[in-house]
Amino acid sequence: IASEFAKKGATVLLGPGLNVARVPFNGRNFEYCSGEDPYLGARMASAIIPAIQSQNVIATAKHYVLNNQETGRVGADSIIDERTWREIYLPPFESAVAHGALSAMCSYNRITLDNVTAWACEHPTTLQHLKEQSSVFVMSDWLATHSTQAIVKGLDQEMPSDFYFGSRLRDAVESGAVD
């Protein structure tokens, strides 16, 4: 697939999907190469990321993180303890970054972790953990950005537009609301 992208001039592939399949009714499970096993997901990521990027196409690990249901995903709150997050949900993404993934896409859901509830594209713990592993570029899923503060938390690009990261962000920087 990456060679097809390269031949048509695309430089970014919005995949692979790396979520661990925990809810069998998730309509996007077919898209995730992890299956139900974080070890399998990590192994798959270790192979697919270099394969994609060998074609001079950027691999985007998605949907970071805890995006485990399709129904109500835009408002769902994935409440999780740190051990479960680290042992079940992180391994595929950590492997992707360790094997050179240049970008990641954050998901629509909210996350409650370490007594902090925030949108996935604004959660300080999850985004900073990913960025500590590598200089990965983080983009939002389509319309998954909820404020200009997301840039401070670790989001690099709002997709597909500049609703928050355009004039609102410029105004927030100029007023001192965002450093």
Side-chain angles (χ1 to χ4, degrees):
I1 192 168
S3 64
E4 291 178 24
F5 269 57
K7 286 175 187 168
K8 71 176 191 173
T11 56
V12 179
L13 190 153
L14 299 179
L18 296 174
N19 288 91
V20 175
R22 300 288 291 167
V23 178
F25 302 115
N26 183 349
R28 297 182 85 170
N29 280 342
F30 74 92
E31 188 179 340
Y32 298 136
C33 65
S34 297
E36 299 174 354
D37 185 347
Y39 177 77
L40 172 65
R43 293 298 304 255
M44 295 291 285
S46 73
I48 198 167
I49 296 295
I52 292 169
Q53 295 188 165
S54 73
Q55 301 299 309
N56 295 317
V57 173
I58 295 171
T60 304
K62 67 178 194 176
H63 292 98
Y64 189 72
V65 62
L66 302 165
N67 184 55
N68 297 309
Q69 67 183 45
E70 192 67 12
T71 304
R73 69 181 170 162
V74 174
D77 185 1
S78 301
I79 302 169
I80 194 159
D81 64 278
E82 185 165 349
R83 180 178 177 185
T84 305
W85 174 59
R86 290 188 180 278
E87 292 180 6
I88 303 295
Y89 298 97
L90 275 183
F93 291 98
E94 288 178 324
S95 179
V97 171
H99 288 89
L102 296 173
S103 71
M105 178 185 285
C106 51
S107 52
Y108 291 111
N109 54 296
R110 288 180 180 267
I111 297 169
T112 297
L113 172 67
D114 292 338
N115 296 314
V116 174
T117 300
W119 294 104
C121 293
E122 297 183 9
H123 201 286
T125 304
T126 61
L127 291 177
Q128 290 308 311
H129 177 79
L130 192 64
K131 294 232 173 195
E132 288 168 1
Q133 310 306 305
S134 171
S135 58
V136 66
F137 181 87
V138 180
M139 70 178 77
S140 72
D141 205 338
W142 271 228
L143 306 174
T145 306
H146 295 276
S147 77
T148 58
Q149 290 298 314
I151 201 162
V152 177
K153 307 299 183 188
L155 184 64
D156 296 304
Q157 181 180 18
E158 174 186 12
M159 291 300 288
S161 65
D162 62 356
F163 187 79
Y164 290 104
F165 280 22
S167 60
R168 283 181 170 87
L169 180 57
R170 182 193 64 233
D171 293 347
V173 169
E174 288 174 356
S175 72
V178 170
D179 285 333

